[in-house]
């Protein structure tokens, strides 16, 4: 009988290796590769995947969720404004009115639900994988160069691997890491006013939240920015621990890319 079968360590090992290899093989060529599993990346991935596209997310850390876990200064609640409440609800996160127009949610519930919905919608998340470069052609970015975060942390000289994507999203937050590497190493100008990274500005919540949405767009052929990376790239201010802009930016980048992908069919 099945419950009398002695557990076999090699079978457990084989199961994990085979399943992970499956994920790797199935995500060598994707429609959209997202860098960063913070709130913007998780929302973007979910909406793209729900629209039927193949999406992988690469996250440097062991945990997904980026800067959302800690709420504000480790007080583990987030604030979301009226306009974004529908996205919280869509992901099954329970929001509570603080005033008529300010909502709060438990930050741990918010991260957990965003991550669960992303995976269940079909997104593959590779955690502990860092994106160190892009794959380029003369006219556009066509993929990502990835390596184990452990290799990066240990400073080992180990060559990376590559994946191909029709579109790449930089959702790396304040550090805007993919845009930085493109600016440094890929010939051509960024689609910013100066052609360079404009840089994040000091806090102004209202303006920052509005600009996050305006700044959610393509910054180099094949490369979009979302979330905090959008403001860091296009020169918007930071907003503090209000997360509506991050959720709406994830949704917006998904809508933009879906339009492009549909246009290519
Ligand atoms: C793989 C990488 C790499 C890399 C970074 O910081 P995040 O939470 O980003 P957003 O834009 O979804 O949300 C921003 C929000 O958390 C925030 O910081 C706010 C609202 N700040 C306001 C303020 O005033 O301070 O997530 C980005 C994720 C992180 O998990 C990183 O580990 C990951 O991207 N990441 N993953 N390869 N090269 N670089």
């Amino acid at each position: 009988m099945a419950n009398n079968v002695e557990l076999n360590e090699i079978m457990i090992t084989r199961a994990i290796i085979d399943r992970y290899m499956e994920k790797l093989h199935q995500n060598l060529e994707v429609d959209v590769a997202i860098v960063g599993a913070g709130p913007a990346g998780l929302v973007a991935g979910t909406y793209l995947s729900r629209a039927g596209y193949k999406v992988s997310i690469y996250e440097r850390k062991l945990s997904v969720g980026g800067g959302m876990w800690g709420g504000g200064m480790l007080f583990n609640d987030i604030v979301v404004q009226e306009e974004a409440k529908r996205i919280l609800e869509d992901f099954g996160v329970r929001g509570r009115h603080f005033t008529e127009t300010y909502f709060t949610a438990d930050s741990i519930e918010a991260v957990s639900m965003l991550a669960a919905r992303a995976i269940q919608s079909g997104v593959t998340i590779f955690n502990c994988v860092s994106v160190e470069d892009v794959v380029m052609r003369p006219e556009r970015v066509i993929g990502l160069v990835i390596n184990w975060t452990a290799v990066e942390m240990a400073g080992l000289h180990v060559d990376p691997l590559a994946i191909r994507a029709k579109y790449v999203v930089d959702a790396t937050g304040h550090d805007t890491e993919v845009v930085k590497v493109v600016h440094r190493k890929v010939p051509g100008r960024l689609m910013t006013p100066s052609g360079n990274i404009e840089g994040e500005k000091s806090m102004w919540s209202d303006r920052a939240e509005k600009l996050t949405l305006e700044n959610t767009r393509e910054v180099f052929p094949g490369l979009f920015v979302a979330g905090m990376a959008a403001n860091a790239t296009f020169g918007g201010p930071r907003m503090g621990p209000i997360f509506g802009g991050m959720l709406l930016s994830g949704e917006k980048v998904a809508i933009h890319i879906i339009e492009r992908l549909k246009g290519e069919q």
Side-chain angles (χ1 to χ4, degrees), residues 19 36 40 62 74 138-139 149 174 238 245:
R19 288 291 186 247
L62 184 55
L74 289 183
E139 65 296 349
T149 300
H174 296 271
R238 68 190 301 181

Side-chain angles (χ1 to χ4, degrees), residues 6-261:
E6 192 179 326
L7 289 172
N8 178 318
E9 294 79 2
I10 299 309
M11 194 56 83
I12 296 169
T13 304
R14 196 188 305 282
I16 289 175
I17 293 174
D18 282 2
R19 288 291 186 247
Y20 197 80
M21 287 302 145
E22 239 171 63
K23 281 191 216 172
L24 281 174
H25 277 294
Q26 285 167 3
N27 288 278
L28 287 178
E29 292 180 279
V30 295
D31 292 311
V32 187
I34 299 174
V35 189
L42 290 171
V43 169
T46 305
Y47 287 136
L48 282 158
S49 186
R50 280 189 196 166
Y53 296 105
K54 190 166 195 45
V55 185
S56 55
I57 303 184
Y58 301 89
E59 169 53 54
R60 169 178 283 140
K61 295 191 179 145
L62 184 55
S63 62
V64 298
M68 207 183 218
W69 294 105
M73 215 176 117
L74 289 183
F75 297 175
N76 63 2
D77 276 276
I78 55 162
V79 172
V80 167
Q81 60 275 49
E82 176 92 57
E83 301 89 298
K85 187 172 166 264
R86 62 182 173 78
I87 300 187
L88 277 189
E89 286 167 357
D90 190 16
F91 281 78
V93 180
R94 296 165 306 166
R96 278 172 63 198
H97 279 281
F98 187 69
T99 67
E100 207 178 314
T101 53
Y102 287 74
F103 298 86
T104 61
D106 182 281
S107 66
I108 297 171
E109 176 174 337
V111 171
S112 308
M113 295 307 292
L114 294 186
R117 289 286 155 95
I119 293 168
Q120 289 179 350
S121 72
V123 175
T124 307
I125 301 181
F126 293 96
N127 60 337
C128 286
V129 174
S130 292
V131 170
E132 60 173 63
D133 207 336
V134 296
V135 184
M136 65 171 219
R137 290 294 181 267
E139 65 296 349
R140 73 194 305 275
V141 168
I142 59 156
L144 292 174
V145 176
I146 58 173
N147 213 331
W148 301 117
T149 300
V151 165
E152 181 186 69
M153 287 172 79
L156 300 175
H157 186 162
V158 177
D159 273 357
L161 293 174
I163 65 107
R164 247 186 119 124
K166 292 178 185 154
Y167 289 96
V168 167
V169 179
D170 183 337
T172 63
H174 296 271
D175 292 338
T176 184
E177 290 205 11
V178 186
V179 178
K180 273 186 189 151
V181 88
V182 167
H183 179 47
R184 205 174 65 242
K185 297 177 67 173
V186 181
R189 279 168 62 88
L190 299 179
M191 297 168 189
T192 57
S194 68
N196 301 322
I197 297 169
E198 304 296 341
E200 180 188 304
K201 305 293 183 290
S202 291
M203 195 181 290
W204 184 352
S205 302
D206 188 63
R207 191 163 162 66
E209 286 291 272
K210 289 177 180 128
L211 279 177
T212 306
L213 276 191
E214 274 180 40
N215 293 336
T216 299
R217 49 195 155 107
E218 195 170 28
V219 62
F220 194 85
L223 172 64
F224 283 74
V225 279
M228 201 61 227
N231 271 4
T233 299
F234 284 95
R238 68 190 301 181
M239 65 293 291
I242 179 155
F243 281 83
M246 301 302 118
L247 306 176
L248 291 165
S249 171
E251 177 188 53
K252 186 169 174 192
V253 80
I255 291 170
H256 276 321
I257 295 176
I258 290 167
E259 275 168 16
R260 288 289 187 83
L261 286 165

